[in-house]
């Protein structure tokens, strides 16, 4: 009898755990949906002057500044079609503050060519986006060869000798190379699927447990 009681406690515990995990995913789903709606609304707004705005994630801005082409960063990435190449980033000084300007994607063969450094520095439009953290599975940056896999802030400071805003400016405009990266609200949102998985596991275990009780108690 004692073993049956302990078995029941064990099963009920796991059912509660799976229900709790499913509930947490529902909470995350609501948060993610609100975030996507916030981003979509922000991207619909016209750009505002960077110097006159309260900086925030996904804010569309317009500004001017002094771009540093000597400390240009080549970040390995894929374009929208899945072709490998580089994203080109430059330090830009705006009203005494340093930002990184992501100018977009180029194929490998365009690296260090003069044609990719054509930019109207007096009329810059783009979108602010918080700099992400390094993925632990990505290789270390090769600073000497200017071949980057992540925007590690320590490496950037070592390479440029500067400290930067936490926001990266993603350039917008009709440039051929680099081709600006399109910023959208397409964020991974699988929380509904995860919630259904946890709730399904809880229900399945409950049904098996009730069947076992009927047969053996």
């Amino acid at each position: 009898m004692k073993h049956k009681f302990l078995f029941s406690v064990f099963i009920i515990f796991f059912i509660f755990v799976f229900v709790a995990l499913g509930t947490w995913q529902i909470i995350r789903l609501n948060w993610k949906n609100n975030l996507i709606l916030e981003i979509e609304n922000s991207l619909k707004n016209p750009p505002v002057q960077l110097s006159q705005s309260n900086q925030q994630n996904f804010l569309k801005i317009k500004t001017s500044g002094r771009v540093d082409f000597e400390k240009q960063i080549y970040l390995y990435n894929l374009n929208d079609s899945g072709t490998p190449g580089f994203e080109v980033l430059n330090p830009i000084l705006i009203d005494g503050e340093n930002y990184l300007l992501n100018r977009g994607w180029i194929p490998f063969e365009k690296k260090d060519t003069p044609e990719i450094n054509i930019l109207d520095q007096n009329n810059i439009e783009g979108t602010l986006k918080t700099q992400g953290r390094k993925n632990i599975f990505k290789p270390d940056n090769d600073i000497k060869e200017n071949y980057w896999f992540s925007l590690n802030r320590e490496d950037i400071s070592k390479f440029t000798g500067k400290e930067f805003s936490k926001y990266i400016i993603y350039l917008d405009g009709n440039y051929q190379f680099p081709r600006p990266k399109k910023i959208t609200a397409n964020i991974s949102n699988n929380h509904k699927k995860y919630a259904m998985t946890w709730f399904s596991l809880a229900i399945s275990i409950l049904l098996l447990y009730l069947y076992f009780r009927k047969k053996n108690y």
Side-chain angles (χ1 to χ4, degrees):
M1 190 69 183
K2 181 180 178 181
H3 293 299
K4 290 182 178 180
F5 173 76
L6 292 176
F7 177 74
S8 297
V9 171
F10 178 79
I11 292 298
I12 292 171
F13 169 77
F14 273 97
I15 290 173
F16 274 113
V17 168
F18 292 148
V19 169
L21 289 170
T23 303
W24 170 242
Q25 290 299 329
I26 293 296
I27 294 172
R28 293 284 293 173
L29 174 65
N30 292 331
W31 171 82
K32 186 65 70 67
N33 286 338
N34 289 333
L35 175 63
I36 291 172
L37 182 61
E38 181 181 339
I39 294 170
E40 288 176 341
N41 290 335
S42 180
L43 293 176
K44 289 176 184 176
N45 295 328
V48 297
Q49 283 290 344
L50 178 62
S51 59
Q52 300 172 4
S53 64
N54 293 323
Q55 297 181 16
Q56 58 185 7
N57 213 13
F58 295 99
L59 177 70
K60 294 180 69 174
I61 58 96
K62 54 186 177 180
T63 188
S64 61
R66 190 170 73 249
V67 177
D68 184 354
F69 292 101
E70 295 297 321
K71 295 299 183 180
Q72 193 154 276
I73 292 173
Y74 294 95
L75 176 68
Y76 174 84
N77 211 339
L78 309 179
N79 67 3
D80 293 336
S81 302
T83 304
F86 293 113
E87 287 184 8
V88 181
L89 294 99
N90 297 83
I92 178 172
L93 182 64
I94 302 173
D95 295 329
E97 186 172 5
N98 292 309
Y99 294 83
L100 280 178
L101 177 66
N102 186 319
R103 297 197 289 124
W105 182 91
I106 59 169
F108 289 127
E109 62 269 18
K110 294 290 185 181
K111 183 182 180 186
D112 295 325
T113 57
E115 65 186 284
I116 68 171
N117 289 338
I118 300 173
L119 175 68
D120 184 358
Q121 301 182 46
N122 295 318
N123 294 287
I124 293 173
E125 290 193 8
T127 304
L128 294 183
K129 195 175 177 184
T130 306
Q131 182 176 337
R133 296 180 180 179
K134 177 186 175 182
N135 187 319
I136 61 173
F137 298 106
K138 288 187 177 181
D140 292 334
N141 297 317
D142 189 340
I143 300 177
K144 184 178 180 181
E145 296 296 327
N146 199 1
Y147 198 119
W148 299 66
F149 294 95
S150 68
L151 295 178
N152 182 293
R153 293 186 73 89
E154 291 183 6
D155 289 346
I156 294 171
S157 179
K158 187 185 302 182
F159 180 69
T160 63
K162 302 172 182 177
E163 298 295 329
F164 291 87
S165 165
K166 68 177 182 178
Y167 293 105
I168 295 177
I169 301 173
Y170 283 80
L171 184 67
D172 193 11
N174 296 317
Y175 294 97
Q176 183 64 27
F177 290 114
R179 186 180 297 278
K181 183 175 182 179
K182 186 174 179 60
I183 304 299
T184 69
N186 293 331
I187 301 174
S188 176
N189 188 9
N190 297 315
H191 298 295
K192 183 177 180 180
K193 181 174 69 176
Y194 297 151
M196 294 300 295
T197 299
W198 291 122
F199 287 140
S200 296
L201 284 171
I203 292 171
S204 298
I205 292 174
L206 176 61
L207 292 176
L208 287 172
Y209 171 68
L210 293 175
Y211 176 79
F212 176 82
R213 280 182 61 92
K214 183 177 179 180
K215 290 289 185 180
N216 295 277
Y217 281 58

